[in-house]
Amino acid sequence: MNGSNRPRVLWASRFGFVLAAAGSAIGLGNIWKFPYITGQHGGGAFVLVYLACIALVGVPILMAELLIGRQGRRDAVGCFAVLERPGSPWMIVGWVGVAASFILLSFYAVVAGWSFDYVVMAASGALRGRSPVEIEGLFGVLVSSPGRVIFWQGVFVVATVAIVLGGVRDGIERCSRILMPALFILLLVLFGRGLMSSGGVPALRFMFQADFSALTPQALLDAVGHAFFTLSLGAGTMITYASYLDPEADLGGLALRIALLDTLMALLAALTIFSVAFTAGIEPGSGPGLVFQTLPILLLELPFGSVLALLFFLLLAFAALSSSISMLEVTVAYLVDEKSWPRWRAAGLVGIAAFLVGVPSALSFNLWQDFKPFFGRTFFEACDLLVSSYLLPLGGLLVAIYIGWVWPRRHSLAELGAGRQQQRWVHSWQLLLRYVAPAAVIIVLLNQMGVFR
Ligand code: TRP
């Protein structure tokens, strides 16, 4: 029997879907990566370019993924069997998605595990009364302990599996209804605190005063790549989530809401982190260590610093969890829909597999840090490169080509509910999807392959 014969569980409400999809989008990408790449690329001008990439490349592809999922009503691979025919070559898009989201989950859990460890450190008072040098050193102590890192990676995977086991409505949606508002409130508290400190105004200036002379070609490429990552595109995630949508939902409106929430959270997180940094007179360009090393030092210098640090790492952990469940759901949905596996078996076994594949990534910071067989990269770096720089852009490119060029236009019009004034919108969307998005992604991919060097 094929799983598609069973009645499909749908989201309890569209708002629940928006929370879950925004939960997928809002993650380490927003709170850890966006602030540090914005810092490295000099602020304002990069922010503008990033916003343009979200609007011109991200939202059109997001809409295309929602369209595929809602129309196919199956997992990311099965959708193309429905929209085309079983065995269609387009099913490769789904396979790219399953591979990308699985590998992503394996190493995402490692970094997310660090945030769990920091939650415990902050809650137990281990951060209090330490000098800045000591706090900075805690990160090194953590990542160089294989046992500790693997333990928290495992805890994180177990938490992810536990939520996905509950199913779409009672697991993912219910959890998102708690995690997302909590996330928002935590971020607002920290943002308010940051803005009131003396670094608030310099942070606003850094983020919103564009100095285009600081912009490099690499910044443009990073902005496109990050737009993919932050909206969870190219990995079958949004296709899978949209397959649980009711047939009447307005996809354009939903896509806009998801993108707006994601962008809002990224901007708030960056402003918060920069205002704390500027208060302490630190330049925001300090790289990946910004969140785990610089930020705790700075937070602890503020009144109630250890509470603020606890709130911050809770925020990071929640954001990571609402993203990782969406990664796991892609493969679980595939096994449930195509192989008729019971959900518990799919979630359990995929979780164990993702954990095991993630162990070498956890070891990349300690025992295996000098083991670099992948063109001078550690296992962790190789996984990140494969997924973020190749698989996600490839998946997104194929989605854009499929909906832009292959899927009949009248179907898009019907699906997007365009009879009335919306025709114009759908037309602009199609132009972006047919020309702008593929061109941008192809340039990024060619650059990755070193064609421009
Ligand atoms: N978007 C999330 C973040 O910003 C990560 C994420 C979840 C993701 N699912 C994904 C990234 C699928 C790419 C593909 O952290």
Side-chain angles (χ1 to χ4, degrees):
M1 181 194 92
N2 192 301
S4 60
N5 297 336
R6 270 180 249 145
R8 197 168 189 76
V9 177
L10 300 183
W11 303 103
S13 72
R14 288 176 201 161
F15 182 61
F17 163 77
V18 170
L19 285 182
S24 168
I26 299 162
L28 297 174
N30 301 58
I31 297 167
W32 171 59
K33 199 162 175 202
F34 178 69
Y36 92 72
I37 55 176
T38 302
Q40 283 176 334
H41 289 307
F46 177 78
V47 173
L48 278 183
V49 173
Y50 167 77
L51 294 178
C53 289
I54 293 284
L56 302 180
V57 180
V59 172
I61 296 183
L62 175 56
M63 274 174 70
E65 290 205 8
L66 297 186
L67 205 65
I68 293 171
R70 209 257 306 263
Q71 187 72 6
R73 313 192 111 220
R74 289 255 287 270
D75 62 288
V77 178
C79 270
F80 290 92
V82 173
L83 298 186
E84 291 294 302
R85 57 186 159 74
S88 152
W90 285 104
M91 287 166 79
I92 189 98
V93 184
W95 282 112
V96 169
V98 170
S101 54
F102 176 80
I103 302 171
L104 183 59
L105 174 61
S106 79
F107 68 85
Y108 201 82
V110 175
V111 179
W114 301 342
S115 67
F116 274 27
D117 191 290
Y118 269 80
V119 168
V120 173
M121 280 203 271
S124 68
L127 297 178
R128 233 176 290 142
R130 288 187 189 265
S131 71
V133 178
E134 282 176 321
I135 295 180
E136 190 168 9
L138 288 174
F139 182 68
V141 174
L142 166 63
V143 299
S144 61
S145 342
R148 210 166 128 196
V149 173
I150 292 173
F151 172 75
W152 287 113
Q153 177 209 352
V155 172
F156 185 79
V157 172
V158 169
T160 304
V161 169
I163 297 172
V164 172
L165 267 185
V168 171
R169 196 185 276 215
D170 297 326
I172 297 175
E173 182 172 357
R174 188 185 283 174
C175 223
S176 304
R177 282 175 181 274
I178 302 167
L179 289 180
M180 297 318 289
L183 194 82
F184 192 61
I185 292 169
L186 288 178
L187 192 52
L188 274 187
V189 170
L190 289 166
F191 173 68
R193 181 65 193 83
L195 212 58
M196 285 187 314
S197 58
S198 62
V201 174
L204 284 169
R205 209 175 287 138
F206 181 75
M207 287 273 296
F208 296 119
Q209 233 171 40
D211 166 16
F212 283 94
S213 65
L215 215 57
T216 58
Q218 188 58 43
L220 300 177
L221 298 170
D222 284 358
V224 180
H226 189 64
F228 265 88
F229 189 85
T230 194
L231 290 177
S232 305
L233 299 178
T237 308
M238 292 299 176
I239 296 180
T240 306
Y241 271 16
S243 74
Y244 307 115
L245 266 176
D246 68 288
E248 257 90 61
D250 159 32
L251 298 183
L254 293 177
L256 280 182
R257 268 171 230 154
I258 297 165
L260 280 176
L261 283 174
D262 183 71
T263 306
L264 179 69
M265 296 297 254
L267 295 178
L268 283 179
L271 276 171
T272 305
I273 291 170
F274 293 151
S275 47
V276 177
F278 279 120
T279 302
I282 285 188
E283 281 302 305
S286 60
L290 189 62
V291 156
F292 288 105
Q293 295 180 289
T294 319
L295 197 70
I297 301 179
L298 307 177
L299 284 175
L300 283 155
E301 282 170 3
L302 299 174
F304 302 107
S306 44
V307 179
L308 294 177
L310 175 62
L311 294 182
F312 179 79
F313 287 109
L314 268 180
L315 171 79
L316 202 58
F318 285 178
L321 195 56
S322 62
S323 296
S324 64
I325 53 183
S326 74
M327 299 170 199
L328 180 58
E329 179 63 22
V330 175
T331 312
V332 168
Y334 166 74
L335 292 169
V336 170
D337 287 349
E338 303 303 313
K339 307 287 172 208
S340 301
W341 282 26
R343 178 169 275 274
W344 63 265
R345 194 206 290 166
L349 289 184
V350 177
I352 293 172
F355 171 74
L356 293 177
V357 173
V359 167
S361 285
L363 297 181
S364 298
F365 297 88
N366 37 68
L367 297 182
W368 290 4
Q369 62 183 350
D370 298 319
F371 177 58
K372 297 179 173 172
F374 312 95
F375 303 99
R377 292 189 176 79
T378 64
F379 191 82
F380 178 93
E381 289 163 344
C383 287
D384 184 21
L385 183 78
L386 174 66
V387 172
S388 313
S389 303
Y390 290 101
L391 293 179
L392 300 180
L394 178 66
L397 175 63
L398 292 175
V399 163
I401 294 175
Y402 180 72
I403 292 294
W405 295 93
V406 178
W407 176 250
R409 185 178 142 84
R410 64 194 147 79
H411 288 184
S412 300
L413 285 174
E415 261 303 281
L416 295 173
R420 311 163 292 268
Q421 323 89 329
Q422 293 189 353
Q423 285 257 9
R424 290 268 280 298
W425 269 107
V426 176
H427 192 66
S428 332
W429 166 70
Q430 281 220 324
L431 284 181
L432 291 172
L433 202 61
R434 288 184 136 201
Y435 303 102
V436 179
V441 180
I442 288 174
I443 292 174
V444 167
L445 278 171
L446 289 179
N447 178 65
Q448 283 300 339
M449 298 192 287
V451 174
F452 302 130
R453 249 169 272 145

